[in-house]
Amino acid sequence: MQIGDKAEVTRQFSAQDVTGYETLAVTRGAHVPEPLIAALFSYLLGVKLPGPGTNYLKQEIGFIRQAPLDAVVSASVEVTRLRPDKKIVDLWAKAVLSDGTVIAEGRSLVKYADTGHG
């Protein structure tokens, strides 16, 4: 892992996805709920970069715009600072719509496991 490494995932949230979330959260709306967008960052951090064994230390995500239902959302995390002596990495997290509109962005600070992969 090095500064500039990046991982990305793209997802389209349907009305069915949101209905499932609303059943659990008891919220209603015509947009994708923020926790579903934040879950994309969690997925990337835990599965892609840094990967398995990653634990959040801090996350500061600002939600700038709402994502309409069925919009294609791409989320990415990029390494901005690496402290291998402490196994800590700073990443910039960003979610955009297919037209490039930023809907969420911020910093994730995580502790990673040395799994020997990557």
Side-chain angles (χ1 to χ4, degrees), residues 12-14 18 29-37 66-71 73:
Q12 186 173 7
F13 292 99
S14 68
V18 174
H31 297 90
V32 177
E34 292 172 356
L36 292 180
I37 303 298
Q66 294 181 320
L69 291 179
D70 295 319
V73 177

Side-chain angles (χ1 to χ4, degrees), residues 89-110:
V89 62
D90 278 279
L91 302 104
W92 188 252
K94 182 164 69 171
V96 299
L97 299 178
S98 58
D99 67 0
T101 300
V102 177
I103 58 171
E105 64 182 348
R107 176 184 179 222
S108 296
L109 179 67
V110 298

Side-chain angles (χ1 to χ4, degrees), residues 23-92:
T23 300
L24 296 172
V26 193
T27 61
R28 303 285 181 261
H31 297 90
V32 177
E34 292 172 356
L36 292 180
I37 303 298
L40 296 175
F41 301 132
S42 294
Y43 165 79
L44 287 170
L45 294 169
V47 176
K48 301 283 186 182
L49 182 68
T54 297
N55 290 297
Y56 276 108
L57 297 176
K58 187 176 191 178
Q59 184 176 45
E60 300 166 345
I61 301 294
F63 293 91
I64 302 161
R65 291 191 171 74
Q66 294 181 320
L69 291 179
D70 295 319
V72 175
V73 177
S74 293
S76 63
V77 293
E78 182 176 349
V79 176
T80 57
R81 185 173 178 206
L82 189 58
R83 293 177 268 174
D85 57 320
K86 295 183 179 184
K87 295 186 179 175
I88 293 175
V89 62
D90 278 279
L91 302 104
W92 188 252

